[in-house]
Amino acid sequence: MNNKFIRIYEDIADRIRTGEIEAGTLLQSELDLSESYQTSRETIRKALKMLYEEGYIQKIQGKGSIVLDIRKIDFPISGLVSFKELAKKMGHRAQTYVKVFKEQQVDQALHKKINFGLNEQVWEIRRVRKVDGEYVILDKDYISQRLVPGLSKEICNDSIYEYIEQELGLSISFAKKEILVEEPTAEDRELLDLEGFHNVVVVRSQVYLEDASQFQYTESRHRPDKFRFVDFARRR
Amino acid sequence: MNNKFIRIYEDIADRIRTGEIEAGTLLQSELDLSESYQTSRETIRKALKMLYEEGYIQKIQGKGSIVLDIRKIDFPISGLVSFKELAKKMGHRAQTYVKVFKEQQVDQALHKKINFGLNEQVWEIRRVRKVDGEYVILDKDYISQRLVPGLSKEICNDSIYEYIEQELGLSISFAKKEILVEEPTAEDRELLDLEGFHNVVVVRSQVYLEDASQFQYTESRHRPDKFRFVDFARRR
DNA sequence: AAGTGGTCTAGACCACGCT
DNA sequence: GCGTGGTCTAGACCACTTC
């Protein structure tokens, strides 16, 4: 197996999660670790850098690496996670209903809203998500047909990301997101259980593949009481 | 001056921001760059890693480093930025009013909400922020007196972070945040201009110093129309 | 095959915390 | 002064893209 530093990262991360290495204590020094793992110090430093970035440890020059309390970070879903993965992680009974699935050409109006080229063919998808018996999320997706061919209603019902990564063998790489609060539209009122709610939380995302090409634009509209965003941020 | 890789990072970042290096093009190869900057390839790689993490470039093995369109990321304020810095960056005419400034002992009720120890002394602060003529943010802070001694109403009116970093010489390191939408409290209604608004966006943060000690707990309550959160996320 | 980024090494020196 | 993490180097080999 490749990637020595990732194996070391995973090993230490596991030992922190299980509590074998306790929060508040210091890790072995980098020199000690390089001997324990039979590797060079730079490789250890790569593994520690990952642990640092994921919030497992805090490094202090001259002192050592403090193990942080990972339990408090519980679900840092700031990243890029599909609804299916998320629901599973949160232990929700969740269902997806595809309301619209059609092919669409990017016209002037759409071109202004999203980043795709004029006249490019896209899949236009509307899905509602039912969580614990209520319709609380409406997802409006536009996905490039050129980059993601062969999409179907059935795939949308399951997981588009799984299809892209496992069937097409593409890698989803990064996203730019914007979170705002807006008034519900007529469509929101029609498709979601919004009685008594005066706002929806709107998450607009542009999602990119590994070669930096944008394949997706999504507007995800959430009932405000069911919205939660957790973030772990380091000062730059 | 120290930190060669940071200087290289800043130099390339500047050239991307000004458009001297165009989005969509490839950077020089790492070997070329190491010659241009008279340094080793590993040092170049450190600088490129930073550019990658900040969303300036996308690296593709065997091909090169693609320059991304940084304009689309405009203000990724996902990190840890003081209100003063943020207002300045956004070009807002903003003012802060300190409504409450007192010393407080952590009692049972507070202990459950925040992470500080029972009976610890904290500063309790309430501030409202006026942006473009309207009161739109209410900040409720609890700050450890042990870690941040000598706070005053005047400092709270200016910038607590500036005081901590510049006067006390401490380094703010990381934060855990949670974003939710809630009903306004009586206090929200009293201190903010909320006519016609049925929700507030609540950002709860725990903020830590470099030695991993938590010095602050903040509840920041925003009028929903003035709330915007921008995020750049890479898939893990 | 040539050129690119990805991993790994062994060693050097520096900056910082602790005692 | 000693041990810690932070920076930097020069070189090796591997994996991938492109021609």
Side-chain angles (χ1 to χ4, degrees), chain A residues 22-23 32 39 45 48 57 70-71 89 104 112-113 139 141 143 170 172 177 179 181 205-206 224:
Chain A
E22 275 176 51
D32 285 353
T39 185
R45 282 181 58 74
L48 295 192
I57 62 171
I70 195 75
R71 289 170 311 171
K89 207 169 186 179
Q104 178 86 14
K112 277 189 185 163
K113 274 180 68 174
D139 279 351
D141 297 276
I143 296 179
L170 299 171
I172 295 163
K177 292 189 185 188
I179 302 176
V181 177
S205 340
Q206 297 160 32

Side-chain angles (χ1 to χ4, degrees), chain A residues 3-5 39-43 61-62:
Chain A
N3 287 40
K4 202 181 274 198
F5 75 93
T39 185
S40 70
R41 193 177 147 221
E42 280 296 339
T43 299
Q61 185 170 151

Side-chain angles (χ1 to χ4, degrees), chain B:
Chain B
M1 251 267 267
N2 279 335
N3 287 41
K4 202 182 272 200
F5 75 94
I6 289 180
R7 292 206 309 277
I8 296 170
Y9 158 78
E10 283 169 351
D11 185 54
I12 298 177
D14 277 348
R15 287 162 61 197
I16 292 175
R17 271 197 304 268
T18 61
E20 184 191 329
I21 304 179
E22 274 175 52
T25 63
L26 289 174
L27 282 187
Q28 284 180 279
S29 76
E30 295 179 351
L31 210 60
D32 285 353
L33 286 170
S34 68
E35 282 163 19
S36 300
Y37 285 100
Q38 281 296 304
T39 186
S40 71
R41 192 177 149 222
E42 280 296 338
T43 298
I44 292 295
R45 283 180 58 74
K46 262 193 190 171
L48 296 191
K49 180 101 189 292
M50 280 186 75
L51 289 166
Y52 168 83
E53 281 165 353
E54 302 293 326
Y56 282 94
I57 62 170
Q58 180 71 6
K59 305 187 82 180
I60 302 175
Q61 186 171 152
K63 199 168 175 189
S65 297
I66 297 185
V67 178
L68 299 181
D69 194 347
I70 194 73
R71 290 169 312 172
K72 289 179 200 151
I73 311 182
D74 50 345
F75 295 116
I77 307 298
S78 64
L80 267 160
V81 186
S82 75
F83 181 75
K84 191 178 170 184
E85 291 173 78
L86 188 54
K88 192 178 160 193
K89 207 170 184 177
M90 304 294 279
H92 283 149
R93 290 175 297 113
Q95 276 176 288
T96 295
Y97 301 90
V98 180
K99 290 288 180 180
V100 174
F101 179 82
K102 62 180 181 190
E103 308 190 22
Q104 177 87 15
Q105 195 175 31
V106 175
D107 61 13
Q108 203 62 254
L110 204 54
H111 181 57
K112 277 189 184 158
K113 275 180 70 175
I114 67 183
N115 254 326
F116 297 137
L118 248 181
N119 300 327
E120 190 177 345
Q121 288 292 322
V122 292
W123 309 105
E124 180 176 344
I125 305 155
R126 294 272 188 295
R127 293 179 289 181
V128 289
R129 319 285 199 169
K130 192 183 195 175
V131 179
D132 296 332
E134 289 183 298
Y135 296 100
V136 292
I137 304 174
L138 167 61
D139 279 352
K140 304 161 76 166
D141 297 276
Y142 299 90
I143 296 179
S144 164
Q145 288 192 20
R146 180 172 52 84
L147 298 169
V148 185
L151 216 53
S152 70
K153 201 167 174 176
E154 288 65 44
I155 294 167
C156 295
N157 219 340
D158 189 30
S159 171
I160 296 177
Y161 278 21
E162 243 176 63
Y163 172 73
I164 290 173
E165 301 210 298
Q166 283 162 37
E167 300 297 317
L168 297 181
L170 300 170
S171 286
I172 295 164
S173 175
F174 62 93
K176 297 169 191 168
K177 293 188 185 190
E178 183 188 39
I179 300 176
L180 295 167
V181 177
E182 296 185 359
E183 311 262 309
T185 63
E187 189 183 29
D188 295 334
R189 297 222 168 271
E190 184 197 331
L191 296 174
L192 299 178
D193 293 327
L194 284 184
E195 311 80 45
F197 288 96
H198 297 81
N199 291 114
V200 290
V201 181
V202 182
V203 183
R204 296 199 172 83
S205 340
Q206 297 159 32
V207 193
Y208 295 76
L209 296 175
E210 225 166 34
D211 65 354
S213 56
Q214 185 188 343
F215 74 96
Q216 181 186 23
Y217 172 82
T218 296
E219 205 172 293
S220 190
R221 307 176 70 87
H222 301 244
R223 199 171 82 182
D225 64 321
K226 292 292 182 180
F227 179 81
R228 178 166 181 255
F229 184 87
V230 184
D231 192 35
F232 175 77
R234 291 199 176 269
R235 189 144 168 98
R236 320 189 171 197

Side-chain angles (χ1 to χ4, degrees), chain A residues 8 11-12 15 26-45 48 63-65:
Chain A
I8 295 170
D11 185 54
I12 297 177
R15 287 163 59 197
L26 289 174
L27 282 187
Q28 284 180 281
S29 76
E30 295 179 351
L31 209 61
D32 285 353
L33 286 170
S34 68
E35 282 165 19
S36 300
Y37 285 101
Q38 282 294 307
T39 185
S40 70
R41 193 177 147 221
E42 280 296 339
T43 299
I44 292 296
R45 282 181 58 74
L48 295 192
K63 200 169 174 187
S65 297

Side-chain angles (χ1 to χ4, degrees), chain A residues 65-202:
Chain A
S65 297
I66 297 185
V67 178
L68 298 180
D69 193 346
I70 195 75
R71 289 170 311 171
K72 291 180 198 151
I73 312 181
D74 50 345
F75 294 116
I77 306 297
S78 63
L80 266 161
V81 185
S82 75
F83 180 76
K84 191 177 171 185
E85 292 173 77
L86 188 54
K88 193 177 162 195
K89 207 169 186 179
M90 304 295 280
H92 284 149
R93 290 175 296 113
Q95 276 176 289
T96 295
Y97 301 91
V98 180
K99 290 288 176 178
V100 174
F101 178 82
K102 63 180 181 191
E103 308 190 23
Q104 178 86 14
Q105 196 175 30
V106 175
D107 61 14
Q108 204 61 252
L110 204 54
H111 181 57
K112 277 189 185 163
K113 274 180 68 174
I114 67 183
N115 255 325
F116 296 137
L118 249 181
N119 299 327
E120 188 176 347
Q121 289 290 323
V122 294
W123 309 104
E124 180 176 344
I125 305 154
R126 294 272 188 292
R127 293 180 289 182
V128 289
R129 318 285 198 169
K130 192 184 196 175
V131 179
D132 295 333
E134 289 181 298
Y135 296 100
V136 293
I137 303 173
L138 167 61
D139 279 351
K140 303 160 77 164
D141 297 276
Y142 299 90
I143 296 179
S144 163
Q145 287 193 20
R146 178 172 53 85
L147 298 169
V148 186
L151 215 53
S152 71
K153 200 166 174 174
E154 288 64 43
I155 294 168
C156 296
N157 220 341
D158 190 28
S159 172
I160 296 176
Y161 278 20
E162 242 176 63
Y163 172 73
I164 290 174
E165 300 209 299
Q166 283 163 38
E167 299 298 316
L168 297 182
L170 299 171
S171 286
I172 295 163
S173 177
F174 63 94
K176 297 170 191 172
K177 292 189 185 188
E178 182 188 38
I179 302 176
L180 295 168
V181 177
E182 296 183 359
E183 311 261 309
T185 63
E187 189 183 30
D188 295 334
R189 297 222 166 272
E190 184 197 331
L191 297 175
L192 299 178
D193 293 328
L194 283 184
E195 312 81 44
F197 289 95
H198 297 82
N199 290 112
V200 289
V201 180
V202 182

